[in-house]
Amino acid sequence: MTTAPPAGAPPRAALLSPVTTSLPAPEAEPAPPVRRVPLAVAAVIGAALSSYVFARHGAKPGTLLLLGIALGFALFHSRFGFTSAWRQLVAVGNGTGLRAHTLLLGTTATLFALIIGSGTGLFGSVPAPSAGPLGIGLLVGAFLFAIGMQLGGACASGTLFAVGSGQSTIVLTLFGFIVGSTLAAWQFGLWSDLPALDPVLLSDHVGWFGSWAVTIAVLAVIWFVARAVQNRRTPPPVGTPPSARGALARAVRGSWPLAVGALVLAVLGAGVLLVSGGAWGVTSAFALWGAKVVGALGGSPEAWEFYRQPGSAAQLSGPVLADKNSLTDIGIMVGAAVAAAAGGVWTLHRAIPGRTAVAAVLGGILMGIGARMAGGCNIGAYLAGIASGSLHGWVWGAVAILGTWAGLRLRPLFGLGNPKPTDSVC
């Protein structure tokens, strides 16, 4: 619930009081009519791809593609963002998005603890936690990634669902993302030996129940701190996307509450872990796509040190539509296209200012390099890491806040605005 404080009254400070904003949250406008042609095209693409993957590669890859489509549907309808959440928090103190993160992280951590702790997997998979080293690469990579998010306008998952919904500017971000990921893979030797400590998993020290309990306790503190900060600063409310009326119509054509999006995404992310044995990830697919293009143009990505790591050579030599992260990434774009068209808001933005285009490509490149250096993005490192009880996920998130602060100061150079306390929405 968001409320505006009475005129002349100080902001409420009690942690359990309603969260305050400078103005009431705006009412959602009615959803536009269904975009029938984009919906039909997206549905046909989704059905054709699913049929092909099931027939050619089997039930496991086919299920991953369907999970990706569902992830895209949920990401778009809930407008679940990481870039905007950190921007709103740092710029004006609105912690709405960060509190949604804690719900997503806590629910995912609970499901991960049950799945990994019990060794439950489908299709013969053995679930494993996501853990990464603690070192210079993590710090520099997360910082660069966060700056790139603010310049490119989206995070890893946000880039995919924005591209699926027809946002042309973010297509440039995705292009830069692929370029940056490919450059980082090509020059793996420049940064792979940076000083680092071994990964730290809480479950190795306190067991899966202890790891889950510590994670939930820390997330609860963050949730309350985010409320306190917002009550103290009284920021503008978050904007409300168009939505259909009625529960069923809203589920298919409307905007979902962030809490609903967090819960659905947590369940779907746990589904990826159950099916594949690994957590939901995004950015390793971008390096693979770039390497495939390099190979098609006559290059030799198989000679890169990056693709001589255990398991990487098989990923490079295998088909894209059998790669776990490629399947979910492609699915997210298709699912978001279906959701946006059903909601009547799928559109192509043809006029892109020059500085915005430069920022989009540059932001994508920084995210691609940063994700490879840090061993993951806001999904593969932040979400999967924290949910797995890995210390590197917490470090990634803390550094991303600092990178967001830096990114906000760079945005005006490219004609990009930042939320202000006097705005009607942020």
Side-chain angles (χ1 to χ4, degrees):
M1 177 179 179
T2 359
T3 58
R12 301 181 187 180
L15 289 177
L16 295 180
S17 65
V19 182
T20 57
T21 52
S22 58
L23 294 168
E27 292 290 330
E29 295 183 1
V34 175
R35 296 294 308 278
R36 297 183 184 277
V37 172
L39 178 59
V41 171
V44 168
I45 290 173
L49 268 177
S50 299
S51 298
Y52 175 83
V53 172
F54 270 100
R56 183 66 181 267
H57 300 295
K60 181 176 178 178
T63 303
L64 286 170
L65 178 61
L66 292 179
L67 285 168
I69 292 173
L71 283 166
F73 195 85
L75 281 165
F76 182 82
H77 273 316
S78 61
R79 307 305 200 274
F80 202 96
F82 295 83
T83 304
S84 58
W86 282 318
R87 181 162 61 239
Q88 292 157 359
L89 176 72
V90 173
V92 293
N94 191 316
T96 301
L98 184 61
R99 293 194 302 276
H101 289 189
T102 64
L103 179 59
L104 170 62
L105 289 162
T107 307
T108 305
T110 302
L111 296 173
F112 274 30
L114 293 172
I115 294 168
I116 302 174
S118 65
T120 303
L122 300 177
F123 302 105
S125 64
V126 178
S130 294
L134 306 169
I136 302 300
L138 172 62
L139 299 176
V140 174
F143 189 77
L144 290 176
F145 190 95
I147 293 175
M149 282 195 303
Q150 298 307 326
L151 296 182
C155 58
S157 54
T159 295
L160 294 171
F161 88 71
V163 168
S165 66
Q167 296 186 38
S168 306
T169 302
I170 308 300
V171 174
L172 297 177
T173 302
L174 178 59
F175 170 77
F177 220 143
I178 295 170
V179 170
S181 299
T182 307
L183 288 173
W186 174 45
Q187 295 298 321
F188 179 73
L190 292 179
W191 51 270
S192 59
D193 292 330
L194 291 173
L197 300 175
D198 290 336
V200 176
L201 274 172
L202 292 176
S203 58
D204 291 341
H205 303 277
V206 294
W208 274 105
F209 177 78
S211 173
W212 171 82
V214 171
T215 300
I216 296 301
V218 175
L219 290 172
V221 171
I222 293 172
W223 189 85
F224 279 112
V225 169
R227 284 179 58 90
V229 168
Q230 181 164 334
N231 281 330
R232 182 179 181 84
R233 295 184 63 178
T234 317
V238 176
T240 307
S243 184
R245 300 292 187 264
L248 180 59
R250 187 176 184 185
V252 178
R253 300 195 59 241
S255 61
W256 300 356
L258 279 175
V260 172
L263 294 174
V264 172
L265 291 172
V267 171
L268 293 171
V272 173
L273 177 65
L274 274 170
V275 170
S276 69
W280 172 27
V282 174
T283 56
S284 68
F286 299 158
L288 174 64
W289 300 351
K292 291 282 191 181
V293 172
V294 171
L297 295 176
S300 302
E302 68 276 2
W304 300 351
E305 187 179 346
F306 184 82
Y307 283 110
R308 288 184 290 180
Q309 300 178 93
S312 295
Q315 181 193 36
L316 179 63
S317 61
V320 167
L321 289 178
D323 175 62
K324 164 182 167 280
N325 288 350
S326 295
L327 287 165
T328 52
D329 285 1
I330 294 169
I332 287 170
M333 290 187 281
V334 173
V338 170
V345 294
W346 192 95
T347 184
L348 286 174
H349 303 278
R350 294 178 177 83
I352 304 174
R355 286 194 296 172
T356 301
V358 171
V361 174
L362 177 59
I365 291 173
L366 289 175
M367 284 193 287
I369 294 172
R372 295 281 53 80
M373 290 186 68
C377 58
N378 56 295
I379 300 298
Y382 174 62
L383 173 58
I386 291 177
S388 297
S390 175
L391 186 56
H392 91 290
W394 292 107
V395 173
W396 197 102
V399 174
I401 296 290
L402 297 176
T404 296
W405 179 87
L408 293 185
R409 276 140 188 82
L410 293 175
R411 280 172 60 87
L413 299 178
F414 298 91
L416 303 173
N418 292 319
K420 300 180 180 62
T422 54
D423 290 341
S424 57
V425 295
C426 63

